[in-house]
């Protein structure tokens, strides 16, 4: 190799750097194309999966709507009961909550097969007894 004049050395160095830069650019381009292909494959897989799940979601959605409707009805009954408790002189007797599904099956009067009486105010299990005297009154 012939000695390189000092003025040509920077241009050779620049040429080498440009060659390395072009190799890096080429490598990055291939990697970018590879990533784009992988991304397209993942998107296809995701679309297929979403289509599979869409069929299942319609059945789940109906069940969810049913449960939400039932919950809204329960909340409305609870709010109505609480508003009734706020009124002065309102009866504060506790009553058992009967689910809507069982309300249709319950007879109009009398206890249920499980021994539950939905209308306890109509039957009085305790006889009205007279007032009992206190011990102090008995002694005197």
């Amino acid at each position: 190799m012939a000695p390189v004049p000092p003025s040509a050395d920077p241009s050779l160095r620049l040429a080498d750097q440009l060659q390395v830069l072009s190799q890096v650019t080429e490598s990055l381009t291939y990697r970018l194309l590879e990533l784009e292909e992988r991304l397209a494959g993942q998107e296809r897989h995701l679309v297929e999966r979403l289509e599979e799940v869409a069929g299942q979601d319609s059945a789940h959605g109906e069940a969810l709507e049913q449960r939400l409707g039932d919950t809204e009805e329960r909340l409305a009954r609870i709010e109505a009961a609480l508003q009734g408790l706020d009124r002065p002189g309102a009866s504060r007797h506790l009553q058992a909550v009967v689910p809507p599904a069982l309300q249709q099956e319950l007879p109009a009067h009398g206890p249920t097969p499980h021994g539950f009486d939905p209308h306890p105010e109509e039957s009085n299990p305790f006889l009205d007894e007279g007032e009992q005297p206190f011990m102090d009154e008995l002694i005197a």
Side-chain angles (χ1 to χ4, degrees):
M1 217 189 226
V4 180
S7 62
D9 188 40
S11 58
L12 275 177
R13 193 170 146 200
L14 180 60
D16 287 341
Q17 288 176 345
L18 286 174
Q19 184 180 6
V20 170
L21 183 62
S22 68
Q23 290 172 349
V24 169
T25 304
E26 182 182 14
S27 174
L28 288 175
T29 303
Y30 286 130
R31 290 181 81 182
L32 181 63
L33 290 172
E34 210 174 272
L35 286 173
E36 285 179 350
E37 288 175 5
R38 287 175 55 193
L39 178 63
Q42 289 296 323
E43 286 176 344
R44 283 191 302 273
H45 178 70
L46 182 63
V47 167
E48 291 171 2
R49 182 69 180 126
L50 287 174
E51 288 173 354
E52 290 174 8
V53 172
Q56 296 172 353
D57 282 347
S58 63
H60 293 300
E62 292 173 9
L64 180 63
E65 288 295 324
Q66 171 85 23
R67 288 186 182 127
L68 289 176
D70 292 345
T71 302
E72 286 178 13
E73 289 174 13
R74 276 190 219 99
L75 288 174
R77 287 194 307 262
I78 290 170
E79 286 176 359
L82 288 174
Q83 287 175 355
L85 290 176
D86 291 342
R87 285 183 266 141
S91 174
R92 291 190 173 218
H93 296 293
L94 297 178
Q95 296 179 359
V97 176
V98 180
L102 293 178
Q103 286 178 354
Q104 298 169 357
E105 299 174 7
L106 291 177
H109 296 290
T112 63
H114 304 292
F116 170 72
D117 187 1
H119 305 287
E121 64 277 356
E122 294 175 4
S123 63
N124 187 3
F126 302 105
L127 299 174
D128 287 334
E129 297 178 1
E131 188 175 328
Q132 296 287 327
F134 286 107
M135 293 294 290
D136 292 342
E137 292 176 357
L138 291 176
I139 297 172

